[in-house]
Amino acid sequence: MIKVTLKDGSVRQVPAGTTIREVASSISQGLARAAVAAKVNGRVEDLNTALQEDAQLEILTLDSEDGLAVMRHSTSHLLAQAVQNLFPGTILGIGPAIANGFYYDFDSEHTFTPEDLEKLEAEMKRLAKQDYKFERGEMAREQAIEYFQQRGEKYKVELINDLPEDAQISIYTQGNFTDLCAGPHVQSTKMLKAFKLQSVAGAYWRGSEKNKMLQRIYGLAFAKASDLQDYLYKLEEAKRRDHRKLGMELDLFSLHDEAPGFPFYHPKGMVLRNTLEEFWREEHQKRDYVEIRTPIILNRSLWEQSGHWDHYKDNMYFTKIDEQDFAVKPMNCPGGMLMYKTKIRSYRDLPIRCGELGLVHRHELSGALHGLLRVRSFTQDDAHIFMLPSQIIEEIIAIIDLIDYFYKVFGFEYHVELSTRPEDSMGSDEDWETATNALKEALATKGIEYKINPGDGAFYGPKIDFHVKDCLDRTWQCGTIQLDFQMPEKFDLTYIGEDGEKHRPVMIHRVVYGSLERFIALLIEHYAGAFPVWLSPIQVRVLPISDRHNEYAERVKAILKEENIRVELDQRREKINYKIREAQTEKIPFALVVGDKEMEAESVSVRRYGEQKTTIMDLKDFIFLIKTEIDTKSISSKTV
RNA sequence: GCCGAUGUGGCUCAGGGGUAGAGCAGCUCACUCGUAAUGAGCAGGUCGCCGGUUCGAAUCCGGCCAUCGGCUCCA
């Protein structure tokens, strides 16, 4: 007999060799029916697995993320089966579970069309009903290679060859379909119900552009049909929040064929942008930053000196001036270096925190452009901090705090990643290790959890990245803190120490917003275009009911303007309903209706964005209300 | 850059080998109105660009450009 400890702490005695399914049945038939897999000592296993020794056991159902992942993975096998039935000769890539569903990569002469997806989905439904069991088999390495080779599954053979020598090679079979797979899987295809094929896209084999591009079919899969419907509805909702759509509707910015990736800011977008810059300057002044501005075009020798010519050329734009090579800056740092070198620095001057709202240009691949989230020219809210080695940790922590403070003001959730040395980089291993450890230490001090991104650092140093989600849950890097021992070296930066000798300062590159463009895009999606009052391009619109209220309305407008409130007056001869509807459509935080009653009492009828109810209040009370919200940067709960 | 899809008035979209259509927005006129669309009229497009097939192309074919969804890359 062995002891099986369940999730609730209870212990069951069962004979060795009992399968997990049998244990589940002994707990309840309902559980046995709902079970898709199980966690044995933390490892996800099939229900068919026989328990041989004492174990911690957690039965997984579709109520858990782990359970859903198993089901989604099984659904990807179902797709592969359907594809090979309908398009014989298709070679298989890989087919994992992902958030909300799964994908499977295929190599086929045939190009899959949206109509094919419908047919495949129908075939999947048909196959699912057949109640095929997912049966696990194990093969010796040589046998497995031969098996897949014979079937022309060259990618599977490659995968097997790359498995460690001692790896257990397992295969899963459902009906006429067999796939190389570590598993686990649900018991039967019958458990696969709420799925939908979504799209087909190109994807390089093993994610490398050096490899062949395969066709990736994406699908959604959920525990039940209503969950799938809910998710589809959520996707529709997300489209409404899309910053590209809202940016145009709210007249914030535009993009044109004539300038791909180079955004145009409209007047309202500029108000938003200027407000963000203003806030940025205030907060940085408080923290003893100074601000500079460096040129956009600098000559070739500078970029050679900085290493950009060697490591960043593909992303840069070039021009010639008087027969000499120049480059448009893709980063602000070299300019900052020259500024540092304009005089002798003392250790007493350090740290120098030198900010720059710098406009940079980078050549991004045409297929990568995406609204304001991925552009070819953008303004970084940059700063370069020159400091003593002993100040590193303290400075990094201060920046982490600063970024956290900013993101909290906007209500952003974020996660943190640490990116380490990339292949194409400069400097010694020792410097990189020191720098990486400093970043780790700062994160540890703050108790921040982070994910490591191996090889994703800048060419001159490792970095801490702050990621924010867009409306479709894709994450975008915004803030970043990069520790750099290389630039000071390349530019021979020095300071005079206590000992009267020259020493090498250390440098940090950091941004808080990341780029104004990306940050604005994320703000639009985060608030669904209904900005908090302090950010809103128009804060108040005054709506007179008829012509005879125009004069009072103009007075209200003038008084609000005097208080530095961004106010508009809608004097058109339209019905009040019409004007209100428009103010709502434009997501203006406050609509002030003024008619006879208000005119008489020196009051306004206040209607907030997204609310039905109106409140009549004295104009001076309204001013107090709105100014308080602006000053506290209050985030309205209505982002509908 | 790669794979696939798309490109018709400011916006959303219909149409489709015989010389363009709707709604919204815009403009004009009337209505002076109390919390999400008053009515009537007018104007607006060489159907992304270039080339080919054809008596005739917005429609079919090819190339290019841009956009969208991915891959790769990144603030």
Side-chain angles (χ1 to χ4, degrees):
Chain A
M1 295 296 267
I2 56 171
K3 268 194 261 179
V4 177
T5 311
L6 300 174
K7 205 183 164 195
D8 63 4
S10 66
V11 178
R12 282 177 190 244
Q13 301 266 356
V14 298
T18 304
T19 67
I20 297 170
R21 191 202 322 275
E22 285 160 350
V23 178
S25 296
S26 77
I27 298 169
S28 90
Q29 279 309 312
L31 180 63
R33 268 197 305 277
V36 290
K39 255 190 189 172
V40 182
N41 297 328
R43 256 188 59 184
V44 186
E45 299 266 5
D46 288 318
L47 294 177
N48 288 330
T49 304
L51 298 169
Q52 302 299 353
E53 49 197 49
D54 291 0
Q56 295 279 342
L57 183 68
E58 180 185 350
I59 309 286
L60 296 174
T61 67
L62 295 181
D63 289 336
S64 70
E65 275 305 313
D66 286 333
L68 280 170
V70 169
M71 179 275 286
R72 286 171 176 149
H73 181 194
S74 298
T75 313
S76 86
H77 278 225
L78 188 65
L79 166 62
Q81 184 179 15
V83 167
Q84 289 200 326
N85 280 357
L86 264 40
F87 301 94
T90 302
I91 306 172
L92 305 175
I94 55 165
I98 52 174
N100 304 311
F102 59 91
Y103 68 76
Y104 212 115
D105 289 343
F106 302 102
D107 189 356
S108 169
E109 293 291 308
H110 174 80
T111 301
F112 296 111
T113 64
E115 295 75 56
D116 292 335
L117 293 192
E118 281 173 37
K119 286 182 204 143
L120 286 168
E121 205 174 294
E123 174 69 358
M124 286 169 74
K125 296 234 155 81
R126 187 186 73 80
L127 292 169
K129 284 199 196 112
Q130 305 300 308
D131 196 8
Y132 294 123
K133 306 294 176 220
F134 280 87
E135 290 174 68
R136 183 185 171 96
E138 276 164 16
M139 279 186 176
R141 193 183 190 88
E142 289 314 312
Q143 190 192 359
I145 289 173
E146 199 191 314
Y147 178 84
F148 285 104
Q149 198 128 48
Q150 208 176 30
R151 298 171 149 236
E153 297 288 0
K154 54 183 178 185
Y155 301 105
K156 298 292 177 190
V157 172
E158 190 181 323
L159 290 173
I160 297 168
N161 279 324
D162 283 356
L163 288 173
E165 278 301 326
D166 58 345
Q168 178 76 265
I169 293 169
S170 58
I171 55 167
Y172 277 82
T173 301
Q174 86 257 20
N176 64 346
F177 177 80
T178 298
D179 196 358
L180 172 75
C181 185
H185 281 283
V186 299
Q187 303 172 72
S188 149
T189 57
K190 205 176 65 182
M191 303 189 77
L192 310 174
K193 286 173 185 154
F195 56 82
K196 181 179 173 58
L197 295 184
Q198 209 179 6
S199 60
V200 50
Y204 298 109
W205 168 238
R206 298 194 137 184
S208 166
E209 57 189 332
K210 295 188 185 83
N211 292 336
K212 182 167 183 187
M213 181 161 272
L214 309 179
Q215 298 182 67
R216 174 171 299 177
I217 297 178
Y218 282 94
L220 299 170
F222 288 89
K224 48 185 195 286
S226 61
D227 289 352
L228 175 61
Q229 285 309 315
D230 287 351
Y231 184 75
L232 290 173
Y233 179 73
K234 204 184 134 190
L235 282 182
E236 286 303 309
E237 281 299 299
K239 276 190 201 155
R240 278 182 246 270
R241 301 177 88 98
D242 191 310
H243 78 279
R244 292 166 299 188
K245 189 172 156 62
L246 283 171
M248 193 186 68
E249 283 171 8
L250 300 176
D251 200 12
L252 299 171
F253 67 89
S254 56
L255 286 156
H256 302 266
D257 285 4
E258 291 83 350
F262 303 106
F264 288 57
Y265 282 86
H266 295 201
K268 287 178 187 167
M270 277 309 290
V271 172
L272 182 55
R273 196 186 148 112
N274 287 334
T275 307
L276 291 172
E277 289 191 9
E278 218 173 280
F279 174 55
W280 187 88
R281 289 200 167 93
E282 269 171 33
E283 295 300 326
H284 282 74
Q285 267 157 28
K286 282 185 200 166
R287 291 166 179 79
D288 294 322
Y289 278 74
V290 293
E291 185 179 351
I292 62 166
R293 171 157 290 177
T294 67
I296 287 180
I297 299 178
L298 302 107
N299 83 4
R300 172 174 180 156
S301 66
L302 179 82
W303 298 109
E304 284 174 344
Q305 193 178 1
S306 69
H308 285 82
W309 200 268
D310 283 342
H311 299 280
Y312 212 72
K313 215 173 172 210
D314 290 349
N315 284 295
M316 292 167 67
Y317 297 113
F318 301 95
T319 186
K320 262 197 191 328
I321 300 174
D322 295 341
E323 306 302 311
Q324 276 192 60
D325 291 330
F326 280 75
V328 180
K329 70 175 175 185
M331 295 187 194
N332 302 302
C333 35
M337 300 289 132
L338 296 183
M339 189 283 311
Y340 181 90
K341 281 170 75 81
T342 53
K343 57 179 172 184
I344 306 269
R345 309 282 174 178
S346 152
Y347 72 96
R348 294 172 191 276
D349 299 330
L350 303 182
I352 296 172
R353 305 192 186 96
C354 188
E356 171 170 19
L357 291 164
L359 176 63
V360 299
H361 289 71
R362 295 183 187 174
H363 179 73
E364 297 293 340
L365 294 178
S366 58
L369 301 179
H370 185 97
L372 287 187
L373 283 168
R374 178 68 112 308
V375 291
R376 284 176 172 160
S377 80
F378 53 99
T379 299
Q380 292 184 305
D381 63 319
D382 218 339
H384 297 100
I385 299 173
F386 304 94
M387 65 206 163
L388 308 173
S390 60
Q391 294 167 328
I392 295 175
I393 300 292
E394 196 184 332
E395 286 300 315
I396 295 172
I397 288 174
I399 301 164
I400 292 175
D401 287 340
L402 177 62
I403 292 176
D404 183 67
Y405 172 76
F406 264 70
Y407 290 10
K408 281 209 173 88
V409 166
F410 297 99
F412 276 142
E413 309 239 331
Y414 62 92
H415 78 268
V416 175
E417 298 184 5
L418 176 73
S419 297
T420 58
R421 179 165 197 168
E423 272 180 38
D424 183 13
S425 56
M426 55 191 201
S428 70
D429 287 342
E430 294 72 42
D431 279 353
W432 276 84
E433 206 184 319
T434 312
T436 309
N437 286 338
L439 295 178
K440 281 184 183 164
E441 192 185 330
L443 285 167
T445 309
K446 293 301 295 178
I448 292 173
E449 282 191 32
Y450 59 92
K451 177 184 141 188
I452 291 190
N453 256 334
D456 238 13
F459 69 83
Y460 45 77
K463 53 183 189 160
I464 298 174
D465 297 325
F466 296 75
H467 292 251
V468 176
K469 274 185 191 172
D470 74 3
C471 64
L472 287 172
D473 287 343
R474 295 176 291 208
T475 71
W476 298 84
Q477 185 186 316
C478 291
T480 172
I481 305 173
Q482 311 178 345
L483 189 53
D484 181 358
F485 292 97
Q486 309 310 321
M487 293 285 159
E489 191 73 34
K490 293 266 174 194
F491 283 88
D492 191 27
L493 300 193
T494 56
Y495 65 88
I496 308 297
E498 270 179 289
D499 55 5
E501 301 292 318
K502 281 187 178 176
H503 298 274
R504 185 78 70 216
V506 184
M507 187 171 89
I508 287 174
H509 314 238
R510 48 109 279 185
V511 288
V512 179
Y513 291 137
S515 77
L516 271 308
E517 286 67 18
R518 182 170 285 180
F519 203 79
I520 285 170
L522 292 168
L523 282 177
I524 294 170
E525 301 198 351
H526 181 61
Y527 298 125
F531 299 106
V533 190
W534 76 281
L535 284 174
S536 195
I538 303 165
Q539 295 167 319
V540 176
R541 184 173 284 166
V542 183
L543 312 177
I545 285 172
S546 80
D547 284 355
R548 69 174 179 280
H549 310 116
N550 280 350
E551 203 182 317
Y552 176 61
E554 272 173 36
R555 243 181 65 225
V556 170
K557 178 187 168 184
I559 291 168
L560 291 173
K561 244 188 139 64
E562 194 62 29
E563 299 285 345
N564 285 321
I565 289 161
R566 298 188 286 269
V567 56
E568 276 186 0
L569 174 55
D570 185 352
Q571 273 182 321
R572 291 173 305 170
R573 295 167 62 175
E574 295 288 351
K575 283 175 65 181
I576 195 66
N577 277 329
Y578 182 87
K579 295 184 184 180
I580 285 170
R581 176 175 153 52
E582 239 171 46
Q584 295 293 309
T585 312
E586 293 175 42
K587 303 177 193 260
I588 296 169
F590 291 103
L592 302 186
V593 175
V594 295
D596 291 337
K597 280 181 285 182
E598 291 79 10
M599 203 158 78
E600 213 158 296
E602 190 87 354
S603 64
V604 289
S605 172
V606 179
R607 178 169 171 151
R608 292 190 87 107
Y609 171 75
E611 289 181 14
Q612 307 285 76
K613 80 169 176 22
T614 61
T615 318
I616 296 188
M617 52 172 85
D618 286 347
L619 180 55
K620 61 178 187 340
D621 292 339
F622 172 69
I623 291 171
F624 179 77
L625 170 81
I626 188 171
K627 290 193 81 165
T628 306
E629 283 200 21
I630 291 170
D631 290 346
T632 58
K633 303 189 170 57
S634 139
I635 298 172
S636 149
S637 54
K638 298 280 176 194
T639 49
V640 189

